[in-house]
Amino acid sequence: MKTDIILAGVGGQGILSIASCIGVAAMNENLYVKQSELHGMSQRGGAVQSHFRLSDKPIFSDQIPLGQADIILAVEPMEALRYLPWLSENGMLVTDSAPFINIPNYPDTETILSEIKKLKKHVLVDANGLATSIKSPKSANIVMLGAASKYLQVSFNSLENAVCEIFKNKGTVIVETNIEALKLGRDFAEKYLCN
Amino acid sequence: MQKKLLLGVEAIAQGAIDGGLSGVYAYPGTPSTEITEYIESNPIAIERKLHRVWSANEKTAMEAALGMSYAGKRAMVCMKHVGMNVCADAFVNSSITGINGGLVVVAADDPSMHSSQNEQDSRYYGDFSMITILEPSTQQEAYNMAYQAFEISEKTGLPVLMRITTRLAHSRSTVETKELKSQNEIKFPQDERQFVLLPAIAKRRYANLLNMQPVLEKNSEESQFNTLEDAKNHEFGIVACGIAYNYLKESFIGEVPYPVLHIRQYPLPINQIEKLAQECKKIMVIEEGYPFVEKKLRGISQTIEIKGKLDGTLPRQGELNPDVINQAFGIQSKQKYQTPELVVGRPPALCQGCSHADMYEVLNQVMTEFGKGRVFGDIGCYTLGALPPFLSINSTVDMGASITMAKGATDSGVEHAVAIIGDSTFIHSGMTGLLDCVIEKTPVTVIISDNSTTAMTGGQKSHGESRLEKICLGLGVEREHLRVMTPLKNRHEEMYSILKEEIEYQGVSVILSQRECIRTAARKAAKKRANVQ
């Protein structure tokens, strides 16, 4: 089994932390991993993406071919749409619904959301709202990780352990908050898909 | 033996540490920066007190590493591809001197220019210097090569170039580490004049380099890093270099129907290529960067049909990916969706509250008095001043070129030329250009937009810190024309007058526009808060 994930967002939104969590979880489950990311100029408030591939067999390319991603996991709705050419026919799009507007010509938010709703398999998450509800707006990215967790080929337990490992240097409060964020995202996505 | 999830660049760092490294020398540059950062914070590197302080530029880095090699120890130099241009004098001559302790140079190329001004291919530098080049295709290979490269260097008596590209540098995968080796002891070169490149000695050393070429070629033929995989269909023989092999395997879901020669060590294994050429009707060359191997193959065989970047089978520009390879072999893409038309570009931009933004805002106002086309930029975050909303700068070429291009334009009669350069870039390559201006009393205004860090690459230490004033005065800038300003919203009027006065002055002016990078400031504050807790 293999899972190809496109992670998308704007520089500074924390997609690399999401990637680290999935990476640690996958390694602890002895899966093969390849995760390519962008650094440097491309990060300065611009569009950023990461190709994340996990599999129980060796992986060749660091980049996912067009039309073959199982999931687009985005922390910004327009950025989610940017990478649609990579999504497979039956792929799932999971994105934060809150726009990050740092450009003058940002399109109408409702039009963006209705574009996303055209996809059969999608989850729109108010990650900022959920993260703020536990008084940790910075955990919005982990809420998103939780929302996508069912489709990531690693167990929820592994993701929890990964979150603990990655945030442990920041103290127990931050670890616990992020575990809560992860669960909030997971529960939200399950309810969303039932409706 | 440990399993770690590492970026390609981190794998190189770990491989070098485990391979008995004594010092890393580097100037930050995407996608190479994290090699040195990893060594900076690695517990073994700290315990062993390995040298791991950033150098002023790639040339000083290369020379210091050569000095460490002279002393018998193992040294590594890391840089982005354009850094090779900066250190080229030292690099090319290091193959003439040869080495004593193992010397490895890592050049990280950036095809697709994710964060660079060109796509130059560092293999040409290795070829030009006639040394071994290693080009890993996986993170594990990156580790293994860094680990072994010192031995290859010591056995051949020559430096080794490791060439990587962005995708390998910044892609993460699991890496299994090897046994930690001890460092070399200090040991002077047996030949006390080995490193003295006087013509008489250099001639002898160059003859040695030429004599070594058949040895390097033999090493490539026998290298575990060059492998030929046979297959039934001999319509094509494929030469795939470094990570190009991964995309090829991806396209054919692991089962490539044609024979594949996977090259990861140069000089080229000519015998293996000739064997492939004899058995196959056509050769396809797949390589990241310039058509380096493809051109060499055209020299080797005049008769065989060679497909690649030169005949348009593969694109000449940009990095490779599985889709490009699919297209070359006529494999149908599985693409289903298009990006909706409403999606607009989101170019990188200066951060909210960035000190460069205040500086540009005021400079734009001042320059309306002096006219367009006379602001020369440099390399760093402030290069983004070329984009809207600022549209402030008229050039960005290479590290330090702002000052010297402003000088040249002034020499030709352009008045009121201004150079914008960052603190770290000024230390890297701006000082000598400023000296040229002082020598001729050229009327240019140099703004050092000093945010106390090397910001674009993630906030590495800038050696300009607390030294800039002294350096400028030392170079001969007049005290009264060395001005300091704080780029803040409520200081715009004061900034305006300083800029106007100095741009009008018919001599060399330096304006230090000083305010800390808001990102480093935020990181420091967060660290402080964490320590209090």
Side-chain angles (χ1 to χ4, degrees):
Chain A
M1 186 184 172
K2 71 163 185 72
T3 306
D4 285 341
I5 309 157
I6 300 276
L7 296 168
V10 180
Q13 278 194 307
I15 70 162
L16 295 185
S17 305
I18 296 180
S20 304
C21 292
I22 308 174
V24 169
M27 199 172 74
N28 289 340
E29 292 197 14
N30 283 318
L31 292 169
Y32 290 94
V33 175
K34 278 205 176 179
Q35 182 235 323
S36 112
E37 54 194 48
L38 289 172
H39 297 201
M41 180 174 266
S42 33
Q43 269 185 298
R44 292 283 167 272
V48 289
Q49 55 145 331
S50 166
H51 288 214
F52 204 116
R53 319 190 74 184
L54 30 152
S55 173
D56 49 17
K57 295 192 187 70
I59 302 160
F60 300 112
S61 168
D62 297 87
Q63 296 187 71
I64 301 166
L66 293 170
Q68 292 191 40
D70 302 287
I71 309 176
I72 292 178
L73 168 49
V75 287
E76 207 282 341
M78 182 175 78
E79 294 311 320
L81 290 175
R82 191 184 303 282
Y83 303 104
L84 272 189
W86 273 270
L87 193 64
S88 69
E89 195 168 353
N90 292 312
M92 163 75 86
L93 186 149
V94 183
T95 183
D96 191 334
S97 55
F100 185 91
I101 304 174
N102 65 344
I103 44 170
N105 55 339
Y106 193 93
D108 174 55
T109 311
E110 283 313 311
T111 325
I112 288 181
L113 298 183
S114 64
E115 246 342 290
I116 291 169
K117 286 174 187 161
K118 281 184 194 164
L119 289 165
K120 255 187 298 179
K121 292 167 83 175
H122 75 270
V123 184
L124 270 169
V125 188
D126 174 16
N128 288 310
L130 289 171
T132 308
S133 77
I134 55 165
K135 297 189 180 67
S136 178
K138 275 191 172 173
S139 304
N141 57 341
I142 302 300
V143 171
M144 290 312 304
L145 175 63
S149 58
K150 211 171 172 182
Y151 310 94
L152 298 178
Q153 201 177 329
V154 288
S155 72
F156 191 72
N157 191 19
S158 293
L159 283 175
E160 283 182 317
N161 291 340
V163 168
C164 291
E165 201 173 318
I166 282 161
F167 290 98
K168 72 177 175 213
N169 288 339
K170 297 187 173 173
T172 40
V173 179
I174 292 194
V175 169
E176 281 164 15
T177 313
N178 279 297
I179 294 283
E180 207 181 335
L182 192 71
K183 284 181 180 155
L184 269 180
R186 171 81 163 209
D187 293 346
F188 180 89
E190 278 183 351
K191 278 185 208 137
Y192 189 96
L193 288 166
C194 285
N195 293 334
Chain B
M1 261 34 68
Q2 269 182 305
K3 245 183 166 183
K4 294 180 172 197
L5 191 58
L6 297 178
L7 289 174
V9 273
E10 295 171 340
I12 290 173
Q14 185 68 53
I17 294 168
D18 293 345
L21 179 78
S22 288
V24 64
Y25 292 88
Y27 183 82
T30 312
S32 71
T33 313
E34 300 84 353
I35 303 174
T36 306
E37 286 191 314
Y38 186 92
I39 298 173
E40 267 185 314
S41 61
N42 179 273
I44 294 169
I46 294 168
E47 188 194 308
R48 288 189 165 192
K49 298 194 174 83
L50 304 189
H51 179 274
R52 50 189 196 284
V53 176
W54 293 104
S55 303
N57 64 38
E58 292 85 353
K59 180 174 180 283
T60 65
M62 180 72 215
E63 290 157 349
L66 189 61
M68 186 171 268
S69 164
Y70 170 89
K73 297 215 171 194
R74 294 179 166 183
M76 186 162 77
V77 196
C78 312
M79 66 200 80
K80 69 183 292 166
H81 56 350
V82 286
M84 290 295 286
N85 305 332
V86 178
C87 79
D89 198 358
F91 175 76
V92 173
N93 285 311
S94 71
S95 76
I96 312 288
T97 60
I99 57 93
N100 187 24
L103 178 59
V104 178
V105 180
V106 184
D109 294 355
D110 189 18
S112 279
M113 300 183 235
H114 295 287
S115 216
S116 307
Q117 67 269 49
N118 74 27
E119 295 196 350
Q120 68 181 63
D121 187 329
S122 297
R123 291 178 297 174
Y124 282 90
Y125 270 114
D127 188 50
F128 187 49
S129 301
M130 295 183 265
I131 60 174
T132 301
I133 308 168
L134 300 174
E135 188 182 9
S137 58
T138 64
Q139 289 73 6
Q140 183 69 56
E141 256 170 32
Y143 174 88
N144 295 351
M145 285 177 173
Y147 188 78
Q148 284 174 39
F150 296 114
E151 267 168 31
I152 298 176
S153 171
E154 283 165 11
K155 271 189 190 149
T156 56
L158 295 169
V160 168
L161 175 67
M162 247 183 106
R163 184 250 185 173
I164 56 170
T165 52
T166 304
R167 205 49 67 169
L168 182 97
H170 286 166
S171 175
R172 224 177 275 276
S173 195
T174 40
V175 172
E176 226 169 280
T177 63
K178 298 175 195 286
E179 198 184 334
L180 176 66
K181 289 186 192 171
S182 49
Q183 298 178 62
N184 287 356
E185 296 295 328
I186 288 182
K187 184 173 147 265
F188 289 110
Q190 273 182 334
D191 172 2
E192 284 187 11
R193 302 285 170 268
Q194 180 192 331
F195 287 79
V196 184
L197 293 185
L198 272 170
I201 303 167
K203 280 178 197 166
R204 207 172 69 226
R205 295 299 313 166
Y206 183 46
N208 168 70
L209 179 60
L210 294 175
N211 288 336
M212 280 305 291
Q213 294 309 302
V215 178
L216 301 192
E217 279 161 26
K218 186 165 174 281
N219 289 349
S220 286
E221 297 286 357
E222 292 166 0
S223 170
Q224 54 167 311
F225 298 125
N226 292 333
T227 46
L228 182 62
E229 295 165 32
D230 204 6
K232 280 186 187 148
N233 191 338
H234 283 204
E235 185 70 24
F236 274 115
I238 300 175
V239 177
C241 307
I243 63 166
Y245 175 84
N246 305 355
Y247 301 134
L248 178 71
K249 293 285 269 191
E250 182 76 27
S251 286
F252 289 100
I253 318 167
E255 302 289 331
V256 185
Y258 314 107
V260 182
L261 176 59
H262 186 192
I263 293 177
R264 284 150 286 173
Q265 181 169 341
Y266 309 77
L268 285 176
I270 300 293
N271 294 340
Q272 291 188 46
I273 290 172
E274 277 180 348
K275 186 167 177 278
L276 191 71
Q278 276 161 15
E279 289 173 3
C280 301
K281 287 187 187 154
K282 297 175 204 163
I283 295 284
M284 166 98 87
V285 184
I286 311 177
E287 57 192 320
E288 183 116 289
Y290 289 1
F292 169 77
V293 171
E294 195 178 335
K295 280 188 174 166
K296 286 200 177 270
L297 258 53
R298 283 173 194 271
I300 294 166
S301 170
Q302 301 296 326
T303 50
I304 196 157
E305 190 179 341
I306 295 166
K307 300 187 106 22
K309 296 190 173 189
L310 294 171
D311 73 338
T313 305
L314 289 160
R316 187 74 194 256
Q317 198 175 350
E319 64 179 333
L320 295 172
N321 60 49
D323 300 299
V324 160
I325 308 297
N326 281 344
Q327 220 167 18
F329 287 99
I331 298 169
Q332 188 71 37
S333 166
K334 290 184 182 154
Q335 185 183 346
K336 165 81 180 165
Y337 303 102
Q338 300 292 332
T339 304
E341 274 177 23
L342 66 104
V343 174
V344 292
R346 196 190 303 256
L350 292 175
C351 307
Q352 288 289 326
C354 172
S355 57
H356 299 311
D358 282 299
M359 184 273 295
Y360 277 129
E361 216 173 290
V362 180
L363 180 68
N364 277 356
Q365 287 168 18
V366 175
M367 291 316 286
T368 54
E369 296 193 28
F370 298 105
K372 287 189 166 186
R374 56 200 77 214
V375 179
F376 298 87
D378 225 296
I379 311 266
C381 284
Y382 49 94
T383 310
L384 296 170
L387 303 178
F390 304 108
L391 302 169
S392 302
I393 58 174
N394 305 102
S395 77
T396 293
V397 181
D398 65 83
M399 299 286 281
S402 57
I403 299 176
T404 30
M405 281 185 71
K407 180 179 189 301
T410 306
D411 292 343
S412 71
V414 172
E415 289 183 308
H416 309 301
V418 176
I420 310 281
I421 187 165
D423 49 319
S424 190
T425 306
F426 178 73
I427 295 293
H428 180 289
S429 287
M431 296 187 282
T432 43
L434 181 58
L435 182 62
D436 278 348
C437 295
V438 168
I439 289 167
E440 293 190 52
K441 209 180 178 213
T442 315
V444 294
T445 303
V446 176
I447 302 173
I448 305 181
S449 198
D450 174 14
N451 58 4
S452 308
T453 188
T454 315
M456 180 58 92
T457 45
Q460 293 74 29
K461 186 168 176 54
S462 160
H463 296 308
E465 215 179 321
S466 75
R467 292 193 183 95
L468 293 174
E469 279 195 64
K470 282 182 209 154
I471 290 170
C472 293
L473 292 172
L475 288 170
V477 175
E478 298 160 283
R479 199 358 103 218
E480 56 277 28
H481 294 287
L482 175 63
R483 309 284 294 268
V484 180
M485 65 185 196
T486 311
L488 279 169
K489 286 268 170 290
N490 58 6
R491 299 276 188 93
H492 281 196
E493 260 175 55
E494 182 192 336
M495 291 164 68
Y496 187 96
S497 340
I498 293 176
L499 283 165
K500 187 161 182 282
E501 281 165 33
E502 294 311 325
I503 295 169
E504 277 171 349
Y505 172 61
Q506 287 301 304
V508 181
S509 305
V510 174
I511 299 168
L512 297 176
S513 179
Q514 292 178 314
R515 178 157 68 82
E516 192 179 13
C517 166
I518 55 151
R519 286 197 177 210
T520 28
R523 267 199 298 272
K524 276 186 200 162
K527 213 172 170 184
K528 214 171 169 182
R529 271 199 305 275
N531 286 342
V532 171
Q533 280 173 4

